[in-house]
PDB file of all heavy atoms in Angstrom:
ATOM      1  N   TYR A  24      26.682 -12.136   5.024  1.00  0.00           N
ATOM      2  CA  TYR A  24      25.833 -13.259   4.700  1.00  0.00           C
ATOM      3  C   TYR A  24      26.286 -14.501   5.450  1.00  0.00           C
ATOM      4  O   TYR A  24      27.452 -14.855   5.466  1.00  0.00           O
ATOM      5  CB  TYR A  24      25.863 -13.536   3.200  1.00  0.00           C
ATOM      6  CG  TYR A  24      24.943 -14.647   2.818  1.00  0.00           C
ATOM      7  CD1 TYR A  24      23.608 -14.392   2.557  1.00  0.00           C
ATOM      8  CD2 TYR A  24      25.399 -15.962   2.770  1.00  0.00           C
ATOM      9  CE1 TYR A  24      22.746 -15.427   2.244  1.00  0.00           C
ATOM     10  CE2 TYR A  24      24.537 -16.990   2.458  1.00  0.00           C
ATOM     11  CZ  TYR A  24      23.217 -16.711   2.194  1.00  0.00           C
ATOM     12  OH  TYR A  24      22.368 -17.726   1.888  1.00  0.00           O
ATOM     13  N   VAL A  25      25.362 -15.162   6.098  1.00  0.00           N
ATOM     14  CA  VAL A  25      25.637 -16.410   6.786  1.00  0.00           C
ATOM     15  C   VAL A  25      24.644 -17.411   6.220  1.00  0.00           C
ATOM     16  O   VAL A  25      23.509 -17.049   5.925  1.00  0.00           O
ATOM     17  CB  VAL A  25      25.368 -16.262   8.301  1.00  0.00           C
ATOM     18  CG1 VAL A  25      25.948 -17.425   9.071  1.00  0.00           C
ATOM     19  CG2 VAL A  25      25.899 -14.946   8.828  1.00  0.00           C
ATOM     20  N   ALA A  26      25.056 -18.648   6.085  1.00  0.00           N
ATOM     21  CA  ALA A  26      24.121 -19.652   5.591  1.00  0.00           C
ATOM     22  C   ALA A  26      22.912 -19.701   6.508  1.00  0.00           C
ATOM     23  O   ALA A  26      23.035 -19.572   7.730  1.00  0.00           O
ATOM     24  CB  ALA A  26      24.805 -21.010   5.547  1.00  0.00           C
ATOM     25  N   GLY A  27      21.734 -19.871   5.952  1.00  0.00           N
ATOM     26  CA  GLY A  27      20.538 -19.907   6.768  1.00  0.00           C
ATOM     27  C   GLY A  27      20.127 -18.530   7.229  1.00  0.00           C
ATOM     28  O   GLY A  27      19.756 -18.353   8.380  1.00  0.00           O
ATOM     29  N   ARG A 427      29.504 -12.724  -6.073  1.00  0.00           N
ATOM     30  CA  ARG A 427      30.376 -13.893  -5.931  1.00  0.00           C
ATOM     31  C   ARG A 427      29.580 -15.192  -5.922  1.00  0.00           C
ATOM     32  O   ARG A 427      30.045 -16.215  -6.363  1.00  0.00           O
ATOM     33  CB  ARG A 427      31.170 -13.792  -4.630  1.00  0.00           C
ATOM     34  CG  ARG A 427      32.223 -12.710  -4.644  1.00  0.00           C
ATOM     35  CD  ARG A 427      33.085 -12.787  -3.389  1.00  0.00           C
ATOM     36  NE  ARG A 427      32.287 -12.798  -2.167  1.00  0.00           N
ATOM     37  CZ  ARG A 427      31.827 -11.695  -1.586  1.00  0.00           C
ATOM     38  NH1 ARG A 427      32.079 -10.513  -2.112  1.00  0.00           N
ATOM     39  NH2 ARG A 427      31.117 -11.758  -0.492  1.00  0.00           N
ATOM     40  N   ASN A 428      28.386 -15.147  -5.369  1.00  0.00           N
ATOM     41  CA  ASN A 428      27.619 -16.383  -5.197  1.00  0.00           C
ATOM     42  C   ASN A 428      26.152 -16.079  -5.510  1.00  0.00           C
ATOM     43  O   ASN A 428      25.424 -15.548  -4.680  1.00  0.00           O
ATOM     44  CB  ASN A 428      27.792 -16.876  -3.752  1.00  0.00           C
ATOM     45  CG  ASN A 428      27.146 -18.222  -3.532  1.00  0.00           C
ATOM     46  OD1 ASN A 428      26.333 -18.677  -4.355  1.00  0.00           O
ATOM     47  ND2 ASN A 428      27.484 -18.869  -2.433  1.00  0.00           N
ATOM     48  N   ALA A 429      25.760 -16.441  -6.705  1.00  0.00           N
ATOM     49  CA  ALA A 429      24.431 -16.055  -7.178  1.00  0.00           C
ATOM     50  C   ALA A 429      23.304 -16.704  -6.372  1.00  0.00           C
ATOM     51  O   ALA A 429      22.150 -16.284  -6.471  1.00  0.00           O
ATOM     52  CB  ALA A 429      24.279 -16.413  -8.652  1.00  0.00           C
ATOM     53  N   THR A 430      23.623 -17.707  -5.567  1.00  0.00           N
ATOM     54  CA  THR A 430      22.552 -18.325  -4.785  1.00  0.00           C
ATOM     55  C   THR A 430      22.244 -17.515  -3.525  1.00  0.00           C
ATOM     56  O   THR A 430      21.268 -17.777  -2.840  1.00  0.00           O
ATOM     57  CB  THR A 430      22.907 -19.770  -4.388  1.00  0.00           C
ATOM     58  OG1 THR A 430      24.092 -19.741  -3.594  1.00  0.00           O
ATOM     59  CG2 THR A 430      23.123 -20.643  -5.606  1.00  0.00           C
ATOM     60  N   GLU A 431      23.096 -16.542  -3.202  1.00  0.00           N
ATOM     61  CA  GLU A 431      22.807 -15.668  -2.063  1.00  0.00           C
ATOM     62  C   GLU A 431      21.924 -14.518  -2.554  1.00  0.00           C
ATOM     63  O   GLU A 431      22.411 -13.479  -2.982  1.00  0.00           O
ATOM     64  CB  GLU A 431      24.094 -15.103  -1.469  1.00  0.00           C
ATOM     65  CG  GLU A 431      24.979 -16.153  -0.849  1.00  0.00           C
ATOM     66  CD  GLU A 431      26.312 -15.588  -0.379  1.00  0.00           C
ATOM     67  OE1 GLU A 431      26.458 -14.351  -0.347  1.00  0.00           O
ATOM     68  OE2 GLU A 431      27.191 -16.378  -0.056  1.00  0.00           O
ATOM     69  N   VAL A 432      20.638 -14.743  -2.531  1.00  0.00           N
ATOM     70  CA  VAL A 432      19.708 -13.769  -3.106  1.00  0.00           C
ATOM     71  C   VAL A 432      19.214 -12.834  -2.012  1.00  0.00           C
ATOM     72  O   VAL A 432      18.707 -13.269  -0.988  1.00  0.00           O
ATOM     73  CB  VAL A 432      18.525 -14.495  -3.772  1.00  0.00           C
ATOM     74  CG1 VAL A 432      17.492 -13.494  -4.256  1.00  0.00           C
ATOM     75  CG2 VAL A 432      19.021 -15.341  -4.927  1.00  0.00           C
TER      76      VAL A 432
HETATM   77  C1  NAG B   4      26.816 -19.931  -1.984  1.00  0.00           C
HETATM   78  O1  NAG B   4      25.778 -19.739  -1.071  1.00  0.00           O
HETATM   79  C2  NAG B   4      25.101 -20.929  -0.652  1.00  0.00           C
HETATM   80  C3  NAG B   4      23.997 -20.533   0.273  1.00  0.00           C
HETATM   81  O2  NAG B   4      22.961 -19.931  -0.430  1.00  0.00           O
HETATM   82  C4  NAG B   4      26.114 -21.834   0.047  1.00  0.00           C
HETATM   83  O3  NAG B   4      25.454 -23.027   0.412  1.00  0.00           O
HETATM   84  C5  NAG B   4      27.283 -22.102  -0.869  1.00  0.00           C
HETATM   85  O4  NAG B   4      28.256 -22.866  -0.183  1.00  0.00           O
HETATM   86  C6  NAG B   4      27.902 -20.810  -1.358  1.00  0.00           C
HETATM   87  N1  NAG B   4      28.931 -21.091  -2.344  1.00  0.00           N
HETATM   88  C7  NAG B   4      30.122 -20.566  -2.273  1.00  0.00           C
HETATM   89  C8  NAG B   4      31.057 -20.937  -3.361  1.00  0.00           C
HETATM   90  O5  NAG B   4      30.447 -19.791  -1.391  1.00  0.00           O
END
Side-chain angles (χ1 to χ4, degrees):
Y24 183 86
V25 193
R427 290 187 308 276
N428 186 345
T430 61
E431 294 175 11
V432 175

